[in-house]
């Protein structure tokens, strides 16, 4: 591991170590070197090349931030290109979601939205050019035979018996493949490189296959489709990409990437690999995310528990927090796993600055202020964000009956309990000091109400005589409260690395059965009436929340984005009790 790598890995485990100096990353060093040599006329041109076979996830966000970020920094350009060469798994739904997500993250490809499928004609011509140069041949071996002939990591492969077909025969067969004369799987076009190469990717890789599948863009124009390795480098070349940044698993493909560009003598971008982002307690491969959606383990790609961009958005994450996270984890050359707590740190930090504070009671218990006039309602001042005075104040109604959090009262408290208990005095936030005088129970001993008296001299929540209280409780006036549904989330998996489940086990075996808790009958302060979906708040002492798209005029639905600290355990205990 180089010193750069070490630095990044340790930074990625440390929440306090904000934004690793970005100019220290090895990709920037490569680009700086290229600019010094005036390589590519000193242009910097990157691309983000998703395959539209699923929704984007937080790992893609890292690649997006890196590619668009570098272009920005070096006054260069970044393209958005769909790598859409595998029509069986791709769809316009995915194309549209990807466009939406990249935009939402805050990046702009201007007029440079491309599709590899738009290059199908050019790619076909490149393949013909390879055949003419004696560098590609049509093979009749079946897929199984090709696999057998390929050899292993320790034994060389064998040449296909069709490898020495004449150029004329190959041109004729390839054209007929294109014209649909052959059965799916009966023929492929392969590059003619070296069946004994120690790099398996160089053992005469397949570059075209017959698929006979409808394509979401090119329709039924093609029944042969180019392979990823062939398509990718040539698409980069056609777009004048200077630095083709991809993840580490493509390192072994680089010789092939270079081979196509050299044999075809076209503009030669440089492929640079970096470590993909892994997060604990979740899965990141699209194939697995797709299974979660298709098998109904989650409500959709945008389920707030998913590590997808759309899931994080619905959960309440901000683009700023995600970009900051990507910056903070840095770019390394060796794989590692980032603690999900680091992502959570970034969103807390961002929402702390921007989210308005409001009061919401998730598990209500009625508190009656017995010496407060029966029909009186006072409008009290409440600051919207102590971190930001410019966010101003609002009025909240106070009345004789308010809801407090059930866990904020204990009849028989332990010694260090600073919240409400018989005979104890606490502050109701922004309102008054109250002292508990009575507990009302049903015949089974369940607590129905607590009765208190208030001190009228403590209006606003401060006592003029300097008397201090240790506990401050949030509350909502009963008469004015809005009923809401609140959805509280926990990790989707119970184990840090669900991808490496034991032999015979499936990653879905370690799904967390308690990853979603739906709480009905939560009480919100009336300022939240008619709140627009997508609005974020801090519910005092309960965490950060966002109004969900499932909200209706008479019942808001809120997703908990993240607790203030780890309050999950507390909520679970409450639920078990009730
Ligand atoms: P998956 O393995 O999740 O299916 P993929 O690599 O097949 O992802 P693509 O749509 O091909 O997904 O990825 C587009 C770009 O995003 C590629 O350049 C890829 O290297 C990058 N990328 C994908 N996953 C990650 C990740 N976890 N961290 C960083 N970059 C990633
Ligand atoms: Mg891929």
């Amino acid at each position: 591991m180089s010193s750069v790598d070490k630095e990044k890995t340790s930074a990625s485990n440390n929440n306090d170590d904000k934004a690793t100096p970005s100019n220290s990353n090895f990709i920037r060093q490569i680009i700086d070197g290229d600019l010094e040599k005036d390589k590519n006329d000193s242009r910097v041109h990157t691309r983000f090349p998703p395959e539209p076979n699923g929704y984007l996830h937080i790992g893609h966000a890292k690649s997006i931030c890196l590619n668009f970020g570098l272009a920005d920094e070096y006054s260069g350009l970044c393209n958005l290109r769909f790598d859409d060469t595998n029509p069986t798994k791709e769809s316009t739904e995915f194309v549209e979601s990807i466009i939406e997500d990249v935009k939402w993250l805050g990046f702009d490809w201007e007029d440079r939205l491309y599709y590899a499928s738009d290059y199908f004609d050019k790619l076909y011509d490149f393949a013909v050019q390879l055949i003419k140069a004696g560098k590609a041949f049509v093979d009749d071996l079946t897929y199984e035979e090709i696999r057998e002939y390929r050899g292993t990591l320790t034994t060389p492969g064998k040449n296909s018996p069709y490898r020495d077909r004449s150029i004329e025969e190959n041109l004729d067969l390839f054209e007929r493949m294109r014209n649909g004369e052959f059965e799916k799987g009966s023929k492929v076009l392969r590059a003619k490189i070296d069946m004994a190469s120690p790099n398996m990717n160089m053992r005469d890789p397949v570059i075209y296959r017959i698929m006979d599948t409808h394509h979401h863009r090119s329709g039924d124009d093609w029944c042969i489709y180019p392979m990823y390795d062939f398509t990718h480098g040539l698409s980069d070349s056609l777009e004048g990409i200077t630095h083709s940044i991809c993840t580490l698993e493509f390192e072994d493909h680089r010789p092939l990437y270079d081979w196509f560009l050299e044999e075809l003598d076209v503009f030669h971008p440089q492929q640079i690999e970096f470590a993909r982002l892994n997060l604990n307690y979740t899965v990141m491969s699209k194939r697995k995310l797709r299974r979660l959606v298709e098998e109904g383990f989650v409500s959709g790609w945008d389920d707030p528990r998913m590590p997808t961009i759309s899931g994080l958005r619905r959960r309440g994450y901000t683009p700023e927090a995600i970009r900051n996270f990507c910056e903070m984890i840095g770019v390394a050359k060796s794989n590692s796993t980032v603690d999900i707590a680091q992502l959570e740190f970034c969103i807390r930090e961002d929402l702390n600055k921007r989210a308005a504070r409001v009061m919401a009671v998730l598990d209500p218990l009625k508190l009656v202020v017995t010496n407060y006039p029966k029909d009186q309602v006072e409008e009290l001042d409440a600051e919207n964000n102590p971190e930001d005075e410019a966010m101003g104040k609002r009025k909240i109604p106070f009345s004789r009956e308010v809801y407090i959090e059930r866990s904020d009262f204990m009849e028989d408290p332990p010694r260090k309990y600073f919240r409400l208990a018989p005979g104890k005095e606490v502050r109701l936030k922004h309102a008054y000091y109250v002292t508990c005088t009575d507990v009302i129970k049903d015949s089974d001993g369940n607590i129905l109400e607590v009765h208190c008296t208030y001190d009228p001299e403590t209006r606003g929540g401060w006592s003029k005589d300097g008397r201090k209280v240790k506990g401050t409780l949030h509350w909502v006036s009963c008469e004015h409260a809005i009923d809401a549904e609140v959805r509280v989330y926990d990790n989707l998996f119970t184990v840090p690395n669900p991808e490496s489940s034991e032999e015979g086990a499936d990653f879905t075996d370690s799904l967390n059965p308690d990853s979603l808790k739906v709480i009905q009958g939560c009480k919100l302060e009336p300022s939240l009436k008619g709140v627009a979906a997508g609005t974020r708040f801090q519910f005092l002492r309960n965490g950060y929340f966002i109004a969900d798209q499932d909200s209706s005029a008479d019942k808001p639905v809120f997703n908990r984005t993240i607790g203030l600290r780890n309050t999950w355990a507390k909520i679970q205990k409450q639920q078990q009790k009730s």
Side-chain angles (χ1 to χ4, degrees), residues 243-498:
H243 300 86
S244 175
I245 299 164
C246 61
T247 36
L248 278 182
E249 69 273 21
F250 290 103
E251 195 168 13
D252 289 344
H253 296 241
R254 187 176 355 119
L256 183 56
Y257 182 99
D258 291 334
W259 188 88
F260 288 125
L261 300 175
E262 257 145 52
E263 292 302 327
L264 290 162
D265 195 22
V266 290
F267 174 72
H268 197 143
Q270 180 183 0
Q271 176 179 307
I272 304 167
E273 307 87 14
F274 72 99
R276 66 168 49 226
L277 166 66
N278 299 302
L279 267 189
N280 58 10
Y281 295 100
T282 192
V283 292
M284 207 86 99
S285 100
K286 273 185 276 186
R287 197 176 54 79
K288 293 195 170 114
L289 294 175
R290 194 175 174 136
R291 276 196 54 201
L292 294 178
V293 174
E294 283 171 359
E295 295 172 28
F297 291 112
V298 294
S299 64
W301 287 94
D302 68 346
D303 186 300
R305 290 167 292 180
M306 292 279 272
T308 51
I309 307 291
S310 51
L312 292 168
R313 174 166 62 232
R314 193 164 171 192
R315 175 80 172 256
Y317 274 74
T318 60
E320 290 81 359
I322 295 176
R323 292 200 304 260
N324 188 39
F325 170 72
C326 292
E327 175 85 13
M328 190 191 269
I329 56 178
V331 182
K333 279 197 238 185
S334 57
N335 284 318
S336 64
T337 299
V338 173
D339 196 320
I340 197 152
Q342 199 168 351
L343 180 61
E344 295 173 347
F345 166 79
C346 290
I347 186 62
R348 266 193 206 104
E349 196 187 45
D350 190 36
L351 292 179
N352 181 42
K353 282 180 281 176
R354 67 168 79 222
R357 274 61 169 166
V358 293
M359 296 203 281
V361 175
L362 304 192
D363 185 14
L365 170 65
K366 190 181 274 186
L367 181 157
V368 182
V369 186
T370 51
N371 61 338
Y372 195 85
K374 265 214 166 97
D375 296 316
Q376 181 169 311
V377 177
E378 280 177 273
E379 296 286 331
L380 300 170
D381 281 327
E383 72 208 334
N384 288 328
N385 189 347
E387 301 282 316
D388 182 2
E389 241 179 83
M391 286 176 74
K393 291 184 172 173
R394 69 186 183 290
K395 295 283 184 193
I396 40 171
F398 182 78
S399 64
R400 190 168 189 267
E401 296 186 349
V402 301
Y403 293 113
I404 61 168
E405 214 68 67
R406 195 162 279 276
S407 60
D408 279 341
F409 175 79
M410 272 182 96
E411 198 178 8
D412 199 5
R415 240 167 27 91
K416 294 234 160 151
Y417 188 80
F418 297 128
R419 288 169 273 166
L420 197 60
K424 285 250 177 108
E425 186 172 49
V426 297
R427 170 190 297 115
L428 293 180
K429 181 87 179 170
H430 306 306
Y432 291 101
Y433 282 16
V434 292
T435 304
C436 176
T437 52
D438 231 334
V439 187
I440 313 296
K441 296 184 194 171
D442 66 13
S443 53
D444 296 330
N446 299 310
I447 298 174
L448 298 177
E449 294 178 355
V450 293
H451 286 187
C452 292
T453 55
Y454 84 118
D455 175 357
E457 295 301 311
T458 56
R459 194 173 196 267
W462 303 103
S463 113
K464 291 182 189 127
D465 63 12
R467 189 166 92 246
K468 296 231 170 17
V469 286
K470 284 226 168 93
T472 299
L473 273 46
H474 60 279
W475 54 272
V476 173
S477 163
C478 296
E479 175 192 348
H480 304 90
I482 303 172
D483 269 309
E485 173 182 325
V486 165
R487 301 171 182 169
V488 180
Y489 303 97
D490 191 13
N491 291 335
L492 193 46
F493 291 90
T494 54
V495 296
N497 187 359

Side-chain angles (χ1 to χ4, degrees), residues 32-202:
D32 289 338
D34 289 347
L35 292 177
E36 246 164 63
K37 287 177 281 182
D38 200 27
K39 192 178 167 186
N40 304 314
D41 310 318
S42 294
R43 286 185 308 116
V44 172
H45 199 154
T46 57
R47 84 286 170 268
F48 173 64
E51 186 184 352
N53 60 353
Y55 280 57
L56 297 180
H57 52 60
I58 181 79
H60 292 113
K62 176 171 177 175
S63 175
I64 293 167
C65 290
L66 182 59
N67 279 293
F68 281 94
L70 286 170
D72 226 33
E73 233 171 275
Y74 288 95
S75 306
L77 299 171
C78 180
N79 298 354
L80 175 60
R81 182 203 315 140
F82 287 101
D83 232 320
D84 54 350
T85 55
N86 190 2
T88 52
K89 298 216 171 99
E90 298 163 3
S91 78
T92 39
E93 177 197 345
F94 296 141
V95 169
E96 281 159 13
S97 74
I98 290 169
I99 288 177
E100 183 186 356
D101 289 351
V102 180
K103 268 195 201 148
W104 179 77
L105 279 174
F107 297 105
D108 186 5
W109 51 90
E110 296 170 321
D111 56 351
R112 296 176 312 281
L113 172 60
Y114 300 119
Y115 295 83
S117 56
D118 290 345
Y119 307 138
F120 280 169
D121 283 314
K122 285 176 179 147
L123 293 168
Y124 181 82
D125 292 344
F126 281 132
V128 168
Q129 205 176 315
L130 281 181
I131 297 174
K132 285 182 177 160
K135 298 288 184 181
F137 66 99
V138 173
D139 197 354
D140 294 0
L141 292 183
T142 63
Y143 277 117
E144 287 80 70
E145 287 167 331
I146 290 177
R147 203 173 309 127
E148 278 164 31
Y149 275 67
R150 231 174 137 214
T152 65
L153 282 173
T154 48
T155 54
K158 282 188 302 187
N159 284 351
S160 162
Y162 303 97
R163 197 176 199 262
D164 292 321
R165 275 176 166 153
S166 70
I167 289 174
E168 289 67 36
E169 191 183 359
N170 281 319
L171 285 172
D172 175 61
L173 289 172
F174 188 49
E175 191 179 342
R176 289 165 59 197
M177 274 171 68
R178 191 234 185 287
N179 293 339
E181 288 182 31
F182 305 117
E183 285 284 294
K184 181 177 155 189
S186 63
K187 283 185 173 36
V188 291
L189 183 72
R190 297 177 72 177
K192 199 187 281 189
I193 309 180
D194 178 8
M195 288 306 290
S197 171
N199 183 338
M200 300 287 278
N201 295 305
M202 301 299 274

